[in-house]
C-alpha cells in the first residue's frame, strides 16, 4: 500500500477510535467514571516500589478497572468499525 494512502487510512482509523471513545465518555457515566478511576490508579502505580499486599491490591484494582473499560470499549469499537466499513464499501460503490 502506498505510504500516503496508509497515512490517510491510519489517520481515519485513529480519528474514528478517538471519536468513539469520546462518545462513550459523553454518553456513558460509568465509562467516564472508570476512565477517571484508571487515571488515579495509574498515578498510584507509578509510585509502587515493591510487591507487598497493598501494592498487589492496587494492581488487582487496575486489572478490574481495565477489564471493565475494555468490556465497554470493545463492543463500541466493533459497532463503529462495522458501520465505517459499510460506509466505505458504499462510498467506493462496492456495495
Amino acid at each position: 500500500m502506498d505510504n500516503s494512502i496508509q497515512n490517510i487510512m491510519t489517520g481515519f482509523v485513529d480519528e474514528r477510535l478517538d471519536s468513539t471513545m469520546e462518545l462513550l465518555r459523553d454518553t456513558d457515566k460509568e465509562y467516564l467514571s472508570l476512565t477517571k478511576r484508571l487515571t488515579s490508579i495509574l498515578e498510584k502505580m507509578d509510585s509502587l516500589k515493591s510487591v507487598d499486599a497493598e501494592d498487589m491490591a492496587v494492581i488487582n484494582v487496575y486489572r478490574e478497572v481495565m477489564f471493565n473499560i475494555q468490556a465497554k470499549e470493545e463492543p463500541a469499537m466493533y459497532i463503529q468499525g462495522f458501520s465505517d466499513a459499510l460506509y466505505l464499501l458504499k462510498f467506493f460503490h462496492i456495495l
Side-chain angles (χ1 to χ4, degrees):
M1 183 183 298
D2 184 348
N3 243 2
S4 61
I5 294 173
Q6 185 175 355
N7 289 340
I8 290 170
M9 291 306 296
T10 300
F12 173 75
V13 170
D14 288 345
E15 186 278 326
R16 299 309 293 150
L17 289 172
D18 289 344
S19 68
T20 300
M21 299 309 106
E22 185 178 335
L23 181 63
L24 265 176
R25 285 189 296 274
D26 291 345
T27 59
D28 189 328
K29 292 181 193 283
E30 183 182 6
Y31 179 79
L32 179 61
S33 173
L34 286 166
T35 57
K36 287 179 180 178
R37 190 170 175 206
L38 178 63
T39 301
S40 71
I41 292 167
L42 290 173
E43 289 171 3
K44 289 179 184 176
M45 289 183 74
D46 283 342
S47 64
L48 296 180
K49 302 285 186 216
S50 63
V51 184
D52 59 13
E54 186 176 320
D55 292 346
M56 282 306 296
V58 172
I59 292 168
N60 287 333
V61 169
Y62 165 80
R63 291 173 54 196
E64 177 187 339
V65 169
M66 282 303 299
F67 177 83
N68 291 329
I69 286 173
Q70 290 171 339
K72 290 188 171 286
E73 286 179 345
E74 288 175 7
M77 288 187 288
Y78 179 84
I79 291 167
Q80 187 61 57
F82 193 80
S83 172
D84 290 342
L86 289 175
Y87 172 79
L88 289 172
L89 289 171
K90 288 178 182 177
F91 180 81
F92 289 112
H93 304 288
I94 296 170
L95 283 181

